[in-house]
Amino acid sequence: MGINGIPDQMQAIQIVELHKPYQINTVPTPTSLGPHDLLVKIAVASLCHTDGMVQQGIINPPSLPQTASHEGTGTVAAVGSSVTHFRPGDRVMCGIGLHFCGSCAECTSAAGDIQYCSKLGGNVGVTADGAFAEYMVADARSAARLPDGVSFETAAPLACAGCTVWRGVVQAGLREGQWLGIIGAGGGLGHLGVQFAKAKGLRVVGLDAREEGLELARKHGADVVVDARRGKAEVAKEVQAATGGEGVDATMNVSDAKGAAALACAVTRLHGLVVQIAQPDEVSVPFDELIFRDIRIHGSLICSPKEAVDMLDAVAKHKISVHTNPFDGFDKIEKLVELAHSGKMKGKGIIIVDPEQIKAERKPGLELV
């Protein structure tokens, strides 16, 4: 039996076969909600690097077909029986995690890092149906209500890219005025990292190997911008010269390019920290960075639910912008994928799923980011 007012069928962009292009299919609208579930009418969904990893079988979905995208925003259409902090009509950013166990050490810890749940039921768009659809099931415990001043278009890429890089900046553990290096500063995650770091009062060295990336890092406030194509030794010298001779206090690596992790270590000062966010097959660094320079490498996933709320509040307060490349409708998915794979895309690519929701959030006197 369907949910009152919700159509029985919907359109969705799906992976039908690994290593093959997406297909647009008519599928049943979700009708069964668990106690902590939200049914969200999607307004905007974003394409992420991880989507390509799923499509290529690097991360294997449990079954096919599967609806893609784990970066979605929209309006709550229905709630599960145990949901008390959301109601139909709320504008939300969907979380990635789905069906947390609620009993493991991570779910019950004071830190609230439920994103590391050891018995997680799945991740939307990765091991469960995602946001490239008219409706999606999300878990209320990882969803976040959008501040009035944050638009669907801005928030969709924040669901993964934003949550990932915000936590990276937090994990760097720096004080106001210290230096943060960002490898891949002009990409979808990187340009957000630059803005998040500046909002926290940090000084930023943005490194990228593309003209588009260097331009975007500069545009969004990096104090120093360095072309990574000059080679590790020259780049390290340039960064040291810009930071008083020592290098940055910590570096966040969001590039999976070969040598990116080694470069992150090289530009970091003695005893400094590298936060590794990118997911190449292997993270390789010279032994002397670890042994002789005491560089520490720390991995980081995505925000906890509380950190996601903090991030959205910072976006609203500091008017942080997400550079998006919008495409109207599901039928534009291949054009979006082509742009993403071209190496020329600045920022993030998004699909406008429901333009009516976007029109509705634009109210007189309300300034949206």
Side-chain angles (χ1 to χ4, degrees):
M1 181 180 294
I3 299 172
N4 286 341
I6 307 299
D8 293 332
Q9 293 187 315
M10 65 178 186
Q11 295 291 297
I13 297 172
Q14 296 192 308
I15 302 170
V16 176
E17 186 178 352
L18 296 179
H19 310 287
K20 298 292 185 181
Y22 291 119
Q23 290 186 23
I24 302 171
N25 293 325
T26 299
V27 300
T29 305
T31 57
S32 178
L33 297 182
H36 298 286
D37 286 346
L38 302 175
L39 182 66
V40 179
K41 183 175 175 58
I42 297 296
V44 178
S46 180
L47 185 73
C48 179
H49 176 72
T50 305
D51 289 308
M53 297 174 70
V54 177
Q55 191 178 24
Q56 296 303 314
I58 298 170
I59 301 174
N60 279 312
S63 62
L64 295 177
Q66 178 176 284
T67 303
S69 179
H70 53 275
E71 296 180 328
T73 53
T75 303
V76 175
V79 302
S81 59
S82 295
V83 176
T84 59
H85 56 295
F86 291 104
R87 61 185 181 182
D90 285 344
R91 299 166 59 252
V92 295
M93 179 182 75
C94 302
I96 298 175
L98 195 63
H99 301 153
F100 304 92
C101 74
S103 60
C104 70
E106 305 303 332
C107 284
T108 57
S109 72
D113 289 336
I114 65 171
Q115 70 271 30
Y116 290 104
C117 174
S118 61
K119 300 175 184 177
L120 187 67
N123 288 298
V124 297
V126 181
T127 58
D129 285 332
F132 277 157
E134 294 177 271
Y135 291 87
M136 187 191 84
V137 173
D139 195 308
R141 293 166 292 183
S142 61
R145 185 177 287 103
L146 296 185
D148 289 341
V150 177
S151 69
F152 290 125
E153 291 174 84
T154 289
L158 298 178
C160 178
C163 283
T164 298
V165 79
W166 175 266
R167 183 172 174 88
V169 174
V170 171
Q171 292 287 304
L174 300 182
R175 302 182 306 275
E176 186 173 342
Q178 289 188 294
W179 284 99
L180 177 68
I182 302 178
I183 309 294
L189 276 73
H191 85 288
L192 293 172
V194 171
Q195 296 177 82
F196 290 158
K198 296 302 295 180
K200 287 181 170 291
L202 304 180
R203 292 185 286 179
V204 176
V205 176
L207 303 97
D208 209 285
R210 302 174 302 129
E211 292 299 331
E212 295 85 357
L214 295 168
E215 177 188 342
L216 200 59
R218 189 176 295 111
K219 174 184 176 181
H220 287 291
D223 299 276
V224 178
V225 175
V226 179
D227 190 338
R229 292 170 293 190
R230 297 180 57 190
K232 184 172 71 172
E234 287 301 314
V235 168
K237 288 180 182 178
E238 187 171 345
V239 173
Q240 289 164 3
T243 56
E246 292 190 351
V248 295
D249 298 289
T251 301
M252 183 169 59
N253 179 29
V254 295
S255 170
D256 60 3
K258 184 177 180 180
L263 179 61
C265 292
V267 302
T268 304
R269 67 167 176 81
L270 192 71
H271 311 301
L273 174 69
V274 170
V275 181
Q276 176 69 24
I277 288 176
Q279 301 172 17
D281 291 338
E282 295 182 350
V283 176
S284 179
V285 300
F287 75 89
D288 57 309
E289 298 287 5
L290 305 178
I291 307 303
F292 294 109
R293 300 189 61 242
D294 190 32
I295 300 296
R296 293 161 293 132
I297 300 177
H298 181 83
S300 182
L301 187 57
I302 58 172
C303 284
S304 68
K306 181 184 181 305
E307 288 169 336
V309 171
D310 291 343
M311 174 197 66
L312 288 170
D313 287 344
V315 169
K317 177 181 178 180
H318 296 281
K319 305 298 182 185
I320 290 171
S321 64
V322 182
H323 191 100
T324 59
N325 302 268
F327 289 80
D328 294 319
F330 291 150
D331 60 336
K332 304 298 192 305
I333 182 61
E334 287 309 317
K335 290 184 178 180
L336 171 52
V337 171
E338 182 181 353
L339 176 63
H341 291 171
S342 71
K344 300 295 184 182
M345 186 166 75
K346 299 178 183 178
K348 294 282 291 183
I350 61 174
I351 293 285
I352 306 300
V353 179
D354 184 3
E356 293 304 314
Q357 290 190 63
I358 293 174
K359 290 179 183 177
E361 70 178 354
R362 294 173 179 165
K363 299 175 181 177
L366 178 62
E367 182 182 353
L368 290 170
V369 294

